[in-house]
């Protein structure tokens, strides 16, 4: 058969489309033959196809995309242009300035805006990988890829050959650096999925908390000054990852003053004893990306490998968890080892899987924990301490992973988490 000798691009889609149209086996075979001869190309690209085509276009340019479109039937550049939104970001060349934020807010956020409903906005900041190299941006005739913090020490404009030599010398002498990573900042509306990049600045990672404070303040100022606050919505929170300098800056800026009695939220929130009511100017709160919270707190962190003690003197560590998690029907020894000692310590999904496994395990052992006549005192003590860990994990996981919870339920779980975490901290 021809299929055994030659590859049919997008075989799955061809059969799917044919089945959807109620085709007979004979018609499906005809379609496959047409596809083999290159006479039939199934339509209906999904998000993955578009992502792959975008990646090919970005890494290999239009020639590679053309070649792979012909051979593998991934979307063409024309399809990509009509189906996907291309975001053009103004890169930061030199020091971070108002215009970098302004250009991006106008081009990426305001110009693409179609709705008139206001929403609360969260500004998020993190770093992404960057190829360490200087690049020439022909649009500006400037050299980019240099760290924003020190690039005021060079003139990035390429006027003559001397300009290039001068920049190279400055990098060589260590006055200015090639960006190791890219600091990116995005704006996102609460309750929606899109994120709009508003800053992309190469960093040599030598920023301190003061620099971060300045960037965060500038971002909020520009959001307001460009009219985005009035057209899209006001900034409600600023979210960062676990980075220490950003956390320090975040605390200085957004855990600053107690919520004013004149605030609309005051009447509700004041009745929640223990809730931290400190905010920044205009009630902007500090937020942390929950994936980073998961990562930092439990997963593959030294705390699990070295062990945590909750309240009965039992040490919960990887070895102890490995012994018990294999009791779960779905996990054998290899699967548990993979969960507890992952190849990539940054693997968030695996960490979440581990936390869910602990919760599931703990729930399946209620009988032993509740059996006060059990003679296996050791096991029972272990299970009791795992039950505490499980309660702690459940309280922080569910508000972020269970979409059917109501706001009150989310709040109760987060409150339970805070109280448990404080109690354990206090006890030790
Ligand atoms: Zn630098």
């Amino acid at each position: 058969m021809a299929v055994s000798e030659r590859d049919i691009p997008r075989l799955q889609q061809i059969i799917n489309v044919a089945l959807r149209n109620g085709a007979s086996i004979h018609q499906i075979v005809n379609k496959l033959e047409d596809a083999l001869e290159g006479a039939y190309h199934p339509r209906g690209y999904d998000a993955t196809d578009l992502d792959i085509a975008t990646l090919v276009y970005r890494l290999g340019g239009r020639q590679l995309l053309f070649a792979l479109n012909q051979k593998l039937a991934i979307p063409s550049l024309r399809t990509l242009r009509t189906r996907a939104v291309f975001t053009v970001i103004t890169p930061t060349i030199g020091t971070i300035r108002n215009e970098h934020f302004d250009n991006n807010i106008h081009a990426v956020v305001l110009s693409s805006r179609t709705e008139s409903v206001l929403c609360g906005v969260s500004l998020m900041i993190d770093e992404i990988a960057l190829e360490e190299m200087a690049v020439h941006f022909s649009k500006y005739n400037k050299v980019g890829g240099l760290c924003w913090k020190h690039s005021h020490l060079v003139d990035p404009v390429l006027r003559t050959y001397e300009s290039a030599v001068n920049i190279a010398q400055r990098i060589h002498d260590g006055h200015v650096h090639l960006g190791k990573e890219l600091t990116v900042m995005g704006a996102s509306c609460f309750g929606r999925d899109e994120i709009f990049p508003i800053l992309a600045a190469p960093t040599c990672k030598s920023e301190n908390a003061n620099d971060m404070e300045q960037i965060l303040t500038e971002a909020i100022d520009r959001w307001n000054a460009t009219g985005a606050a009035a057209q899209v919505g006001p900034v409600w929170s600023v979210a960062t990852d676990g980075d220490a300098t950003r956390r320090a800056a975040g605390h200085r800026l957004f855990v600053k003053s107690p919520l004013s009695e004149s605030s609309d939220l005051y009447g509700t929130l004041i009745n929640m004893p223990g809730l931290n009511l400190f905010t920044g100017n205009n009630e902007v709160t500090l937020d942390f990306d929950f994936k980073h919270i998961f990562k930092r707190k439990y997963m593959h962190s030294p705390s699990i490998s070295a062990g945590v003690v909750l309240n009965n003197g039992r040490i919960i560590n990887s070895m102890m968890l490995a012994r018990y998690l294999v009791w779960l029907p779905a996990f054998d020894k290899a699967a548990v080892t993979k969960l507890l000692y992952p190849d990539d310590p940054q693997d968030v999904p695996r960490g979440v899987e581990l936390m869910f496994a602990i919760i599931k395990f703990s729930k399946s052992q209620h009988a032993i924990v509740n059996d006060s006549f059990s003679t296996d005192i050791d096991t029972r003590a272990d299970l009791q301490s795992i039950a505490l860990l499980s309660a702690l994990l459940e309280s922080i996981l569910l508000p972020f992973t269970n979409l059917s919870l109501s706001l009150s339920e989310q709040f109760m779980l987060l409150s339970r988490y805070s109280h448990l975490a404080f109690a354990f901290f206090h006890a030790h």
Side-chain angles (χ1 to χ4, degrees):
M1 248 189 102
V3 181
S4 70
E5 288 154 19
R6 282 181 55 196
D7 203 19
I8 302 182
R10 298 167 51 77
L11 181 62
Q12 195 190 348
Q13 278 82 356
I14 296 173
I15 298 179
N16 271 341
V17 169
L19 286 176
R20 253 204 317 271
N21 296 337
S24 66
I25 292 192
H26 185 70
Q27 285 166 321
I28 294 176
V29 172
N30 275 346
K31 281 272 182 240
L32 291 179
E33 278 171 353
D34 287 350
L36 266 176
E37 285 159 15
Y40 171 66
H41 300 285
R43 297 283 159 230
Y45 295 114
D46 61 17
T48 316
D49 298 322
L50 295 173
D51 285 349
I52 291 204
T54 309
L55 191 66
V56 168
Y57 178 55
R58 287 295 178 216
L59 295 178
R62 63 176 71 216
Q63 283 96 339
L64 185 65
L65 182 57
F66 178 76
L68 295 187
N69 164 249
Q70 297 294 309
K71 172 68 189 151
L72 301 176
I74 63 171
S76 65
L77 187 57
R78 183 201 291 253
T79 311
L80 208 54
R81 286 216 166 107
T82 53
R83 295 279 305 274
V85 181
F86 280 80
T87 306
V88 181
I89 307 171
T90 305
T92 300
I93 304 174
T95 309
I96 297 174
R97 284 189 304 272
N98 289 349
E99 69 197 55
H100 297 125
F101 283 108
D102 293 6
N103 288 344
N104 287 324
I105 292 173
H106 280 293
V108 181
V109 187
L110 298 180
S111 69
S112 69
R113 191 165 163 76
T114 46
E115 316 164 62
S116 54
V117 190
L118 287 186
C119 63
V121 170
S122 182
L123 297 182
M124 309 171 181
I125 183 165
D126 202 352
E127 268 139 18
I128 58 171
L130 178 73
E131 213 172 321
E132 266 185 71
M133 60 188 236
V135 245
H136 179 239
F137 286 101
S138 51
K139 186 175 168 191
Y140 315 100
N141 190 29
K142 285 180 179 175
V143 175
L146 309 178
C147 69
W148 70 266
K149 180 162 177 173
H150 301 109
S151 53
H152 63 276
L153 297 169
V154 292
D155 179 4
V157 183
L158 273 191
R159 291 194 180 81
T160 59
Y161 173 71
E162 283 303 312
S163 323
V165 173
N166 185 35
I167 294 172
Q169 190 62 43
R170 284 289 189 164
I171 296 173
H172 182 262
D173 295 343
H175 295 296
V176 62
H177 314 100
L178 293 174
K180 286 189 173 65
E181 287 183 333
L182 195 67
T183 299
V184 281
M185 211 165 176
S188 173
C189 280
F190 276 93
R192 304 212 196 117
D193 280 339
E194 317 110 291
I195 179 154
F196 304 101
I198 58 171
L199 178 75
T203 162
C204 61
K205 308 216 64 169
S206 67
E207 294 92 356
N208 55 31
N210 290 337
D211 297 322
M212 281 303 157
E213 226 179 302
Q214 208 183 320
I215 297 179
L216 297 176
T217 310
E218 200 175 345
I220 296 181
D221 286 349
R222 298 325 298 168
W223 186 261
N224 296 331
T226 49
Q231 286 182 52
V232 182
V235 175
W236 279 358
S237 79
V238 172
T240 91
D241 57 352
D243 178 87
T245 52
R246 278 197 281 275
R247 294 177 82 85
H251 271 274
R252 277 192 220 159
L253 285 174
F254 309 116
V255 191
K256 201 166 67 173
S257 31
L259 188 67
S260 149
E261 284 175 34
S262 60
S263 162
D264 291 342
L265 294 169
Y266 189 84
T268 312
L269 299 184
I270 197 63
N271 296 316
M272 297 184 179
L275 182 70
N276 182 344
L277 292 185
F278 280 72
T279 74
N281 296 343
N282 301 315
E283 297 179 7
V284 175
T285 52
L286 179 59
D287 193 6
F288 296 104
D289 177 357
F290 64 89
K291 291 196 202 89
H292 288 283
I293 299 181
F294 292 171
K295 202 158 75 182
R296 198 166 48 85
K297 281 221 153 45
Y298 305 103
M299 295 153 23
H300 336 311
S301 62
S303 68
I304 281 284
S305 41
V308 281
V309 178
L310 296 177
N311 81 336
N312 57 359
R314 290 277 142 171
I315 299 170
I316 304 179
N317 56 24
S318 310
M319 242 161 63
M320 182 238 221
L321 288 173
R323 199 161 66 236
Y324 287 111
L325 289 181
V326 287
W327 291 12
L328 283 171
F331 291 92
D332 58 10
K333 205 170 163 208
V336 168
T337 309
K338 226 173 177 180
L339 273 189
L340 288 166
Y341 308 97
D343 301 332
D344 172 16
Q346 307 274 325
D347 189 341
V348 177
R350 185 147 287 165
V352 171
E353 200 188 334
L354 169 63
M355 291 191 268
F356 273 123
I358 295 172
I359 296 168
K360 198 167 165 207
F361 169 75
S362 175
K363 297 212 157 144
S364 67
Q365 300 303 321
H366 274 318
I368 303 185
V369 176
N370 294 333
D371 177 12
S372 42
F373 295 105
S374 164
T375 48
D376 194 350
I377 298 165
D378 257 358
T379 306
R380 208 168 149 243
D382 279 351
L383 295 183
Q384 277 172 337
S385 66
I386 294 178
L388 289 173
L389 177 66
S390 159
L392 187 73
L393 295 178
E394 195 179 25
S395 328
I396 190 78
L397 266 182
L398 292 190
F400 297 102
T401 52
N402 184 347
L403 298 180
S404 63
L405 293 181
S406 70
L407 187 59
S408 304
E409 288 167 325
Q410 291 179 346
F411 225 99
M412 277 189 304
L413 282 165
L414 288 174
S415 170
R416 183 174 87 168
Y417 172 80
S418 312
H419 284 88
L420 280 176
F422 175 73
F424 296 146
F425 174 76
H426 193 255
H428 299 282

